[in-house]
Amino acid sequence: MEFLSHIEPDRYLSEHLQEVSQKMLEFLERAPATPLLTGEDIEKLFYYTGLAHDFGKHTTFFQKKLKSQFTGREADHGFISALFAFYLLEFQAEFAGEEPYPLFSYLAVLNHHGNLRNLDDDTGVRLEDNRKIKDKQLQDLRNNQREIEDNYSRLGLKVSLQDFIARQDELRAEISKQGFSYSYGNYDLGKKMRYHQLVVFLYSSLIDADKRHAARIDKGSRREISAFLVDEYKKKKFGGAPDNEINLLREEIYDKVTGKINRIPLEQKIMSFTAPTGSGKTLTAFSAALQLRKRVAKEREGAAPRIIYSLPFTSIIDQNFKVLSEVLALAENYPEAPQEFIIKHHHLADVEYKSSEGDLPLDEALMLIESWESEVVVTTFIQLLHTIIGYKNSFLKKYHNIAGSIIILDEVQNIPVVYWDLMEKIFQVIAEELNCYIILLTATRPLIFKEGIEELLEDKDKFFAGLSRTALKPQLADRTVAEFINEFERNFTSGKAILS
């Protein structure tokens, strides 16, 4: 029997399992080297998860469903595939330690066609809810035992379907045990947060690799961007030396910040750039990020970090995106594939993606944009924060591309104060475990990070004084309403905002 994973055009299941597994390893390989994401055990976790994720498609129920010949729940393949993933990692993969990797694989596969669910439900209620369906699927799988085992043999795995079926009670008990231990065991908060990053990274890699292979989308190589592109842009846009006091101050800010970003130790992951409104923070921060990107790429000896430029409101994204696009337009090969250099991602943004192969169809463009397959991503706090701390499939499929990135949080003071403690913890974890760099960009830096943060603009108070554009003139004398209206009319200039 020939097993298909998708139809129109026909795609063979063994090919799909192999391609997804390899793509997941590729995502892992291009992530920065941290203890969380390196080592043979982690590679095995990703490799086996990819090979197991669609195991349940070997049932004749699913094969008939592909041809519109069956509609029952027996064609569902998520739960039986998750059990098989747990089986492979628990009884066939040899791990050096005792980490709960089988549980992580089970959770990723179980939810790869939906959102990440509550752990207690996945290791408790759902085990029992799916029991009757699972028993019918196991009986069906027996009928195709030889073909299934041959399929996995071609993938390099010696699998005993009989052993998998015989261990069902043992699997259910062990899943419940590991789930209970994870939820209520002696793991401190730090370890749980690290495990959370790993589970989400695994899940993100799986769902993105799965969707890409199903749609036959394979993004090309990464793009080079000069670390000094903003300098080229400024020279072209503004010409020679600064011609007034304000521009002189802006240039001094630019030089101080870009100078410090090249001196700061790469171990310093969380920084702030605090400067007054009108000081040219966007270009300065982007230039600093490009230069940091060059330093990090040289240190890692691999792909340069993506730059994620995040803002609170869609209304100000267009303006920043326009400026950054003008800068990147000076990069080599930008016109042939602009979206490989920069994309804009929020719920109102246009969906278009031009690669080196030309304009992509809408569904392919959307998939690459939602996965943040670009060197620079301009997006909202909603997209970023729902990815870092969220659970929805549509947000999490780009999580693996956040690893190792440089994240600029512009106007960060707009994050509600009730979330500041959470932001501090989660950004510290992704900085440490995913090797991300965080730059807070603001005129009024909030106390989100109480320690461990480095200011990029030294002597910033000097620049606030020099660029102050507000004059307060108290007028406390008693006035009638009529006198106030007359005074307002004398001072009001049509077309100019006034506050009195």
Side-chain angles (χ1 to χ4, degrees):
M1 180 178 182
E2 290 184 333
F3 299 100
L4 301 177
S5 65
H6 303 84
I7 204 164
E8 294 181 359
D10 291 351
R11 290 168 194 159
Y12 293 106
L13 182 53
S14 58
E15 175 201 354
H16 178 65
L17 296 174
Q18 183 176 44
E19 291 295 325
V20 169
S21 183
Q22 291 302 315
K23 178 61 73 173
M24 290 177 67
L25 288 174
E26 179 185 316
F27 290 154
L28 180 64
E29 183 180 354
R30 74 186 192 187
T34 66
L36 182 73
L37 298 175
T38 53
E40 291 185 9
D41 285 356
I42 298 297
E43 290 181 8
K44 288 178 183 177
L45 169 61
F46 279 66
Y47 176 69
Y48 281 99
T49 299
L51 291 183
H53 83 280
D54 273 350
F55 166 80
K57 290 185 176 181
H58 285 102
T59 65
T60 54
F61 302 120
F62 180 84
Q63 295 301 310
K64 289 180 178 179
K65 178 183 177 180
L66 280 179
K67 301 172 183 177
S68 302
Q69 297 172 355
F70 185 81
T71 58
R73 280 192 61 199
E74 290 84 356
D76 295 347
H77 64 280
F79 180 70
I80 193 73
S81 299
L83 287 177
F84 185 69
F86 188 92
Y87 166 78
L88 287 183
L89 275 85
E90 182 69 20
F91 298 108
Q92 291 206 209
E94 297 180 0
F95 293 110
E98 297 183 357
E99 307 285 3
Y101 294 148
L103 178 67
F104 297 165
S105 182
Y106 168 82
L107 293 172
V109 174
L110 182 62
N111 295 293
H112 79 279
H113 285 302
N115 301 323
L116 270 179
R117 289 167 51 104
N118 182 283
L119 176 65
D120 289 343
D121 289 342
D122 284 344
T123 57
V125 175
R126 290 180 85 181
L127 280 171
E128 298 306 319
D129 283 351
N130 288 278
R131 192 168 184 173
K132 289 183 179 179
I133 300 298
K134 178 202 68 175
D135 290 343
K136 292 180 181 179
Q137 291 173 326
L138 291 175
Q139 182 59 46
D140 179 80
L141 290 169
R142 284 191 180 96
N143 298 329
N144 301 311
Q145 178 174 339
R146 179 177 294 180
E147 291 92 335
I148 294 170
E149 291 176 351
D150 286 346
N151 245 7
Y152 276 99
S153 179
R154 286 191 290 272
L155 295 172
L157 283 183
K158 185 177 181 181
V159 171
S160 170
L161 189 62
Q162 184 175 349
D163 186 59
F164 168 63
I165 295 172
R167 289 183 183 270
Q168 290 303 301
D169 290 340
E170 189 177 356
L171 287 173
R172 189 169 68 254
E174 189 61 29
I175 290 170
S176 296
K177 176 184 173 182
Q178 288 191 21
F180 183 86
S181 177
Y182 182 83
S183 295
Y184 307 105
N186 295 321
Y187 295 125
D188 60 32
L189 178 60
K191 192 164 189 176
K192 276 195 171 183
M193 292 188 76
R194 289 193 292 274
Y195 280 159
H196 171 76
Q197 310 307 313
L198 180 55
V199 171
V200 178
F201 192 100
L202 177 69
Y203 172 79
S204 172
S205 301
L206 173 59
I207 60 178
D208 196 26
D210 188 27
K211 291 175 181 179
R212 289 197 198 196
H213 185 255
R216 285 288 193 265
I217 296 176
D218 188 15
K219 168 74 168 52
S221 58
R222 298 286 303 276
R223 292 288 183 171
E224 295 285 338
I225 303 175
S226 168
F228 303 102
L229 204 61
V230 175
D231 295 282
E232 295 179 34
Y233 172 79
K234 287 173 61 184
K235 190 176 296 184
K236 182 177 180 180
K237 179 84 173 178
F238 305 116
D243 55 0
N244 58 51
E245 185 178 352
I246 290 180
N247 286 338
L248 281 169
L249 285 172
R250 288 172 178 158
E251 193 65 21
E252 187 177 355
I253 290 172
Y254 182 88
D255 291 341
K256 280 181 173 290
V257 171
T258 54
K260 184 159 185 179
I261 205 71
N262 282 295
R263 300 190 309 270
I264 201 166
L266 289 179
E267 294 76 22
Q268 179 66 47
K269 298 293 181 61
I270 300 175
M271 295 158 273
S272 65
F273 171 24
T274 310
T277 301
S279 59
K281 289 197 295 293
T282 299
L283 284 177
T284 301
F286 189 49
S287 183
L290 288 174
Q291 294 181 49
L292 178 60
R293 166 185 159 104
K294 179 183 177 182
R295 290 185 64 199
V296 173
K298 184 177 180 181
E299 175 75 14
R300 292 177 184 168
E301 297 181 350
R306 300 178 196 278
I307 297 174
I308 300 170
Y309 198 114
S310 184
L311 300 114
F313 311 116
T314 57
S315 57
I316 57 177
I317 280 183
D318 289 344
Q319 176 184 345
N320 288 58
F321 178 80
K322 180 177 182 295
V323 172
L324 299 186
S325 296
E326 288 175 354
V327 173
L328 290 168
L330 300 177
E332 186 178 359
N333 299 321
Y334 176 87
E336 71 180 36
Q339 280 74 39
E340 291 187 2
F341 286 89
I342 184 169
I343 58 172
K344 175 171 53 176
H345 184 213
H346 59 78
H347 71 290
L348 297 176
D350 294 335
V351 178
E352 56 181 355
Y353 198 104
K354 183 179 181 182
S355 72
S356 55
E357 299 176 357
D359 292 319
L360 299 182
L362 184 65
D363 56 341
E364 295 182 21
L366 182 62
M367 189 170 296
L368 290 177
I369 290 171
E370 290 182 342
S371 296
W372 285 4
E373 276 294 347
S374 188
E375 300 304 319
V376 180
V377 179
V378 184
T379 190
T380 59
F381 286 173
I382 291 290
Q383 283 291 336
L384 176 65
L385 298 181
H386 277 250
T387 301
I388 293 174
I389 59 176
Y391 66 95
K392 291 187 176 180
N393 185 298
S394 58
F395 283 100
L396 294 185
K397 71 178 181 179
K398 59 181 173 286
Y399 184 89
H400 65 89
N401 273 335
I402 290 178
S405 62
I406 298 168
I407 301 172
I408 299 173
L409 299 170
D410 199 349
E411 304 289 355
V412 68
Q413 73 277 0
N414 285 285
I415 296 177
V417 66
V418 69
Y419 299 122
W420 286 6
D421 284 346
L422 174 62
M423 292 299 97
E424 180 183 27
K425 289 183 175 65
I426 200 68
F427 279 119
Q428 285 174 340
V429 170
I430 68 168
E432 179 181 350
E433 302 296 343
L434 298 183
N435 220 347
C436 293
Y437 289 85
I438 317 295
I439 301 176
L440 276 61
L441 189 57
T442 178
T444 54
R445 191 177 97 191
L447 294 176
I448 293 177
F449 295 97
K450 302 171 186 65
E451 57 185 19
I453 186 168
E454 182 73 16
E455 176 59 52
L456 293 176
L457 180 60
E458 298 171 348
D459 301 326
K460 61 181 183 296
D461 292 343
K462 161 189 170 182
F463 299 102
F464 276 92
L467 286 168
S468 176
R469 297 180 295 178
T470 303
L472 299 178
K473 299 178 180 179
Q475 296 183 14
L476 303 178
D478 291 340
R479 284 170 291 177
T480 65
V481 172
E483 289 171 338
F484 173 81
I485 292 173
N486 289 334
E487 183 177 352
F488 181 88
E489 289 178 340
R490 286 196 303 271
N491 289 286
F492 176 74
T493 301
S494 179
K496 184 178 179 180
I498 184 168
L499 179 64
S500 180

